[in-house]
Amino acid sequence: MTSTAVRSRRDGLSEAATHRLSLLLRVLGGLEAVGVDTISSAGLAERLGGNAAQIRKDLAHLGEFGVRGVGYRVADLKARLGAILGLDRVRVVVIVGAGHLGQALADSKNFNGDSFRVGALFDVDGRKVGGRSRTGIPIRHAEALRESVSELGAEIGVVAVPPENAAGAALSLAQAGVRGILNFAPTVVGPFAGTTVKNVDLTLSLETLAVQLAPAAG
Amino acid sequence: MTSTAVRSRRDGLSEAATHRLSLLLRVLGGLEAVGVDTISSAGLAERLGGNAAQIRKDLAHLGEFGVRGVGYRVADLKARLGAILGLDRVRVVVIVGAGHLGQALADSKNFNGDSFRVGALFDVDGRKVGGRSRTGIPIRHAEALRESVSELGAEIGVVAVPPENAAGAALSLAQAGVRGILNFAPTVVGPFAGTTVKNVDLTLSLETLAVQLAPAAG
DNA sequence: TGCTGTGAAACCGTTCACAGCT
DNA sequence: AGCTGTGAACGGTTTCACAGCA
């Protein structure tokens, strides 16, 4: 029990817990930047808008990070948490679909931050192939997906094509060997053995919001 | 109990239930298009990848829609469900931020389907103001937000600006009178009285996916 | 008979309350 | 004394199992 081997248990993390930990890592970055050394679970809860016990549970589930009577060492927790979550290194992302959405994503800060870098875009449109996005991400032919994925060492693929082509694009990515797929098309894709799929269904987000709108005045 | 007044209870719907019902509506559209008249909860569960009892519970929670021994009438269920969820009419959406992401969203099918129509984009960049997106959505100055929202009857606002301007953009939208905000910036905005906020944090989505990746081979 | 609508049971995630270190 | 780590209580959602109706 006193061993230093934490045996990084990323499994058994609920989606919600993963969200919280990911946001926690952001908060820790902010705290480190302003020179905060130590912080209690209560302090973190305040910044994240949650419950202190939950934060302790989330962290305790991954190992023992805190110091009783003191709290958590910001720099230490950030480093260890980043390592366990696998967010301490840069992963290469490839995007299938060099339309407006695909290019917007390729050039955005979201996809080119501390943990991610877009390696290439793919399309079947000959007029786009060979060109580059505004920030210089090369656009290659979709047929080159497989070799590009291994060449770039891409671990994550993004599906940003029209719904009717989404299933095919996702299959190509899975076969090309990416380990995760972020699907922006409002279509169910997969499942594929060995590849995690996460859907970011913008239509669904809009609809969900619409349903939950405060009732119209009157 | 036999009354026809269903008293459309949109409240008390969990986020998960709202997702399922929204997807259910899509599935019903598909079934109607291929001429299916009647479908059982088991049939729907199969298409949605869930449990039949859950679908019955979701629906029963909103009223009595099925016919015992038969199933659900596709056209009828679609119409009634659409009405209860408020997805049977077109809502106008405005987008703050006419950058690549904002324009991509403005022109996308996701935001211009059966239930939504983008009315205008807003930006502070004088070179963009007065122009139009590729599909012709006008770009107006952010100062014109308030009057545009009432003029267009916009109910939903989208925040597609850099993180540092997100809070301000959201506040402007809330003050302009939209009833819901879809926030694409990785920043907490609001809350605002009378305006529902939903975050679509793309960075968080990527990070969540990365954490849940199947472990690297080796 | 067949399928819905629904009470009861099982399950999971969150919150509480406190024992145990420092 | 202070704060973490954690068993126990709680609340909500999902699943089961079946009564009730066409």
Side-chain angles (χ1 to χ4, degrees):
Chain A
M1 301 306 185
T2 62
S3 151
T4 52
V6 175
R7 232 147 42 266
S8 64
R9 305 230 348 257
R10 291 189 304 202
D11 34 85
L13 278 185
S14 69
E15 180 100 0
T18 307
H19 275 208
R20 287 192 299 269
L21 289 169
S22 207
L23 290 173
L24 177 54
L25 209 49
R26 261 190 223 170
V27 168
L28 290 171
L31 289 171
E32 195 179 38
V34 297
V36 174
D37 240 50
T38 293
I39 185 140
S40 68
S41 60
L44 290 171
E46 199 181 316
R47 271 155 245 256
L48 285 167
N51 178 292
Q54 183 159 60
I55 289 174
R56 293 201 298 277
K57 266 258 156 78
D58 283 345
L59 291 175
H61 193 247
L62 296 171
E64 295 218 357
F65 299 104
V67 184
R68 291 177 198 229
V70 177
Y72 300 89
R73 299 259 151 208
V74 173
D76 177 54
L77 180 56
K78 177 171 169 250
R80 295 176 67 189
L81 194 53
I84 290 175
L85 295 183
L87 297 174
D88 57 339
R89 60 196 184 77
V90 176
R91 289 175 202 269
V92 175
V93 176
V94 292
I95 300 178
V96 179
H100 302 316
L101 178 61
Q103 293 209 31
L105 295 175
D107 293 339
S108 90
K109 281 252 173 59
N110 290 309
F111 282 49
N112 293 279
D114 294 337
S115 307
F116 303 98
R117 199 194 91 229
V118 177
L121 284 151
F122 296 87
D123 210 297
V124 291
D125 183 342
R127 288 166 302 184
K128 289 176 182 164
V129 172
R132 287 176 181 271
S133 75
R134 293 166 190 83
T135 61
I137 314 284
I139 303 174
R140 302 186 186 166
H141 197 282
E143 282 171 5
L145 186 59
R146 177 163 234 153
E147 67 176 276
S148 293
V149 165
S150 24
E151 183 195 313
L152 293 164
E155 292 176 278
I156 292 176
V158 173
V159 173
V161 298
E164 57 271 24
N165 303 327
L171 180 60
S172 301
L173 281 166
Q175 289 176 343
V178 301
R179 285 168 43 218
I181 292 175
L182 201 59
N183 174 36
F184 281 87
T187 312
V188 176
V189 302
F192 307 107
T195 304
T196 308
V197 175
K198 184 172 169 66
N199 296 301
V200 181
D201 188 327
L202 299 180
T203 300
L204 186 58
S205 299
L206 248 191
E207 288 177 351
T208 303
L209 175 62
V211 171
Q212 294 174 344
L213 286 186
Chain B
M1 298 305 182
T2 62
S3 152
T4 53
V6 175
R7 231 143 46 266
S8 64
R9 307 230 345 258
R10 291 190 304 201
D11 34 86
L13 277 186
S14 69
E15 180 100 0
T18 307
H19 274 209
R20 288 192 298 268
L21 289 170
S22 208
L23 288 173
L24 177 54
L25 209 49
R26 257 189 225 170
V27 168
L28 290 172
L31 289 171
E32 195 180 39
V34 297
V36 174
D37 240 51
T38 293
I39 186 143
S40 68
S41 60
L44 289 170
E46 199 181 316
R47 271 155 245 256
L48 284 167
N51 178 292
Q54 183 159 62
I55 289 174
R56 294 200 298 275
K57 267 259 156 75
D58 283 346
L59 292 175
H61 192 247
L62 296 171
E64 295 217 359
F65 299 105
V67 184
R68 294 178 196 226
V70 177
Y72 299 89
R73 298 259 151 207
V74 173
D76 178 55
L77 180 56
K78 179 175 167 242
R80 296 175 66 186
L81 194 54
I84 290 175
L85 295 182
L87 297 174
D88 58 338
R89 61 196 183 75
V90 176
R91 290 175 201 269
V92 175
V93 176
V94 293
I95 299 177
V96 180
H100 301 315
L101 178 62
Q103 294 209 30
L105 296 175
D107 293 338
S108 90
K109 281 253 173 60
N110 290 309
F111 283 49
N112 293 278
D114 293 337
S115 307
F116 304 99
R117 200 194 89 228
V118 177
L121 284 150
F122 295 87
D123 210 297
V124 291
D125 183 341
R127 288 166 301 184
K128 289 176 182 164
V129 172
R132 287 176 181 271
S133 76
R134 293 166 191 84
T135 61
I137 315 285
I139 302 173
R140 302 185 185 167
H141 197 282
E143 283 171 5
L145 186 58
R146 176 164 234 151
E147 67 174 276
S148 293
V149 165
S150 25
E151 183 196 313
L152 293 163
E155 293 176 277
I156 293 177
V158 173
V159 173
V161 298
E164 57 270 25
N165 303 327
L171 180 59
S172 302
L173 280 167
Q175 289 176 342
V178 302
R179 285 168 42 217
I181 292 175
L182 200 60
N183 174 37
F184 281 87
T187 313
V188 177
V189 302
F192 307 108
T195 304
T196 307
V197 176
K198 184 170 170 66
N199 296 300
V200 181
D201 188 327
L202 299 180
T203 300
L204 187 56
S205 298
L206 247 191
E207 288 177 352
T208 304
L209 175 63
V211 171
Q212 294 173 345
L213 284 187

